Amino acid sequence: PAPPGALLYRYLTVSIEPLPPVVVGDAVTLKCNFKTDGRMREIVWYRVTDGGTIKQKIFTFDAMFSTNYSHMENYRKREDLVYQSTVRLPEVRISDNGPYECHVGIYDRATREKVVLASGNIFLNVMSPPISISVIAADTPAPFSRYQAQNFTLVCIVSGGKPAPTVYFKRDGELIEVVPLLEPPSGAAGLQDSRAARNLLNRDLDDTKMQKSLSLLDVEDRGGRPYTEDPLKSLTPDPGLLFSPATEIIPETVVSREFPRWVHDMEPVYYFHHTHIPLSDGTVEVRAMLMWTLNPQIDNEALFSCEVKHPALSMPMQAEVTLVAPKGPKIMMTPTRARVGDTVRILVHGFQNEVFPEPLFTWTRVGSRLLDGSAEHDGKELILERVPAELNGSMYRCTAQNPLGSTDTHTRLIVFENPNIPRGTEDSNGKFGSYTVFHHKLQLISELPLG
């Protein structure tokens, strides 16, 4: 029992030193300071999860069973004891983000059977810089339209940031002034303001230019010679791909960039919308969209960059793309010496320039339908299965286009005789009957008397 007149009250104050936000990978030390005039009983650190419903014990010091005070600093001051207990996280992770509590117990002055408790808490804010950034074009591949305005959307995807980063766009190094949208426009009309609508209604449709462009295509379809550039200017030889004389490469067709006058009258209006998508690891994916009515004449070869600011980054993070129309498709045909019955693959394996966004590829046969009877085929590769001799000399056009422009290139298929397929024979499908007729026609012509 305590002597008469003794104070039975003991005091205990606990506080945790505040911390600024920390970055993933940093070493973090949590410091719990407590002051008391009594004898310490225990110290317990908790990691609080699930909104406070679960407390995970991460450190315990029990004075009854330990004489190790090396983890604490203490000094005598006016008969009071001041302690500091520390917990060190050597490489903090996103999962370490959240509240922590420090609980301290001292013996009551009146009896050792009773413990006085006090606690302090802190919220550890763990930041994570974005780990990836990319810029893509929405709704692509898409065709080129010379006489109708098209809306265009760039999407900047930033992943791995906590908190969500600030995302903005630049054009040719200059910050773009945008009109923020709470929701992205649902249709094409959503991007056009009143000025744009009036310009579209009063645009100049030059029928002469349209008919001129169509007339070039008609000449090709009739088997005429298309208007082409100088081959030395239009195609850059690739030393790694040498074609045999069996494959004739026709130079790229020049597509004139003729645009109606209305595209000059309108200043672009840029609209901006962004969404935050929480990820399972506690970070956020940001999708920022820049939308405007595309003007191929001034937007072609424009440099757009997406930049990101984040408190965990010492300098902005960026990704950039240059809007470029396709030019000079490079065509590869295998086998280079096609024989009757072979499966021929004609592939676009690149361009003379870097193209963005990804082009839309369309294959047609000049003057006729494709081998399977279709009028056209979409995709980088055209496959002609078990080619018959009648395709010898046939010409194929590949149209590569994106919203910035369009270009055509041609290649001619030369089909050689196959010694493994005897003349006059057919397979089970009658595939090569046309080959026999073709050969006989040549033979009869050669037997006609001269003069």
Side-chain angles (χ1 to χ4, degrees), residues 267-327:
E267 290 294 328
V269 178
Y270 294 97
Y271 297 88
F272 180 82
H273 174 74
H274 70 275
T275 57
H276 292 175
I277 304 173
L279 302 180
S280 59
D281 62 356
T283 61
V284 177
E285 179 180 281
V286 177
R287 291 181 174 248
M289 289 171 278
L290 182 71
M291 299 156 280
W292 76 100
T293 301
L294 192 71
N295 184 337
Q297 193 171 21
I298 64 174
D299 289 334
N300 190 45
E301 298 186 358
L303 174 65
F304 286 84
S305 61
C306 169
E307 297 195 4
V308 170
K309 285 186 177 180
H310 191 275
L313 293 173
S314 59
M315 61 184 299
M317 187 179 187
Q318 76 166 21
E320 57 186 29
V321 294
T322 301
L323 305 188
V324 182
K327 181 180 179 182

Side-chain angles (χ1 to χ4, degrees), residues 29-178:
T29 301
L30 304 178
K31 298 179 180 180
C32 178
N33 299 319
F34 52 97
K35 184 177 180 181
T36 181
D37 62 350
R39 294 184 59 189
M40 188 181 63
R41 170 66 176 83
E42 65 178 359
I43 305 170
V44 183
W45 281 88
Y46 291 97
R47 164 81 166 91
V48 184
T49 58
D50 293 339
T53 58
I54 298 178
K55 292 186 179 182
Q56 178 186 1
K57 190 180 296 185
I58 59 174
F59 172 79
T60 300
F61 174 80
D62 193 327
M64 289 184 62
F65 302 101
S66 176
T67 58
N68 181 14
Y69 288 81
S70 62
H71 73 290
M72 295 186 299
E73 299 175 6
N74 66 89
Y75 16 51
R76 179 78 59 177
K77 184 180 179 183
R78 295 182 183 177
E79 304 300 324
D80 296 334
L81 289 176
V82 179
Y83 297 91
Q84 184 181 79
S85 174
T86 59
V87 171
R88 180 177 172 83
L89 306 175
E91 291 185 7
V92 71
R93 300 170 295 181
I94 282 289
S95 58
D96 295 325
N97 185 86
Y100 291 78
E101 293 182 358
C102 174
H103 291 243
V104 179
I106 63 170
Y107 288 112
D108 185 78
R109 183 183 293 273
T111 172
R112 291 177 63 92
E113 302 300 324
K114 186 177 180 182
V115 176
V116 178
L117 297 175
S119 65
N121 60 79
I122 186 176
F123 191 95
L124 181 61
N125 186 2
V126 181
M127 299 187 303
S128 173
I131 59 175
S132 68
I133 179 173
S134 61
V135 179
I136 63 173
D139 304 321
T140 55
F144 171 66
S145 175
R146 179 174 286 106
Y147 295 99
Q148 183 177 1
Q150 295 187 85
N151 295 324
F152 190 76
T153 301
L154 287 177
V155 183
C156 181
I157 304 174
V158 185
S159 299
K162 178 187 175 297
T166 301
V167 182
Y168 52 93
F169 286 91
K170 290 183 178 181
R171 174 173 175 151
D172 297 325
E174 299 292 331
L175 184 65
I176 298 176
E177 295 184 5
V178 297

